[in-house]
């Protein structure tokens, strides 16, 4: 019983330490959506319909942030204490 319990604990820790990004990326890539699209008849060259495959774009983990944190100017200070 003790050996089985220890193997279960160690197996869980080993599984948690393995990277899972590759597995998640392949699962996300397989979920492509196909959309039928009818273009404007004035702009196309005789094409009735098109089928577009929509896939989520990969996210680069080393890409810098797309927004900057901007410091907000401080409000006016509290009014001075009246002297009697």
């Amino acid at each position: 019983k003790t050996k089985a319990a220890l193997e279960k604990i160690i197996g869980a820790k080993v599984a948690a330490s393995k990277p899972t990004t590759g597995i998640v990326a392949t699962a996300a890539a397989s979920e492509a959506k196909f959309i039928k699209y009818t273009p404007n008849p004035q702009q196309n060259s005789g094409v009735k319909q098109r089928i577009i495959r929509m896939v989520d774009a990969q996210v680069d983990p080393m890409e810098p942030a797309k927004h900057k944190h901007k410091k907000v100017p401080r409000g006016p200070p509290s009014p001075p204490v009246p002297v009697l």
Side-chain angles (χ1 to χ4, degrees):
K1 292 180 182 180
T2 307
K3 184 178 179 181
L6 287 173
E7 286 179 358
K8 183 178 177 183
I9 293 170
I10 292 172
K13 288 188 178 186
V14 168
S17 68
K18 290 183 180 179
T20 59
T21 56
I23 296 168
V24 173
T26 56
S30 65
E31 297 178 15
K33 296 178 187 176
F34 292 94
I35 300 171
K36 280 190 175 182
Y37 169 65
T38 306
N40 189 354
Q42 297 171 351
Q43 295 177 355
N44 65 357
S45 58
V47 178
K48 301 282 184 194
Q49 280 188 340
R50 294 182 182 163
I51 298 176
I52 301 172
R53 188 179 93 181
M54 296 291 285
V55 181
D56 290 340
Q58 284 186 332
V59 179
D60 185 10
M62 299 301 290
E63 185 178 2
K66 294 188 178 192
H67 61 279
K68 291 191 175 187
H69 294 282
K70 204 175 218 183
K71 286 189 176 181
V72 179
R74 299 179 93 185
S78 59
V81 179
V83 179
L84 296 176

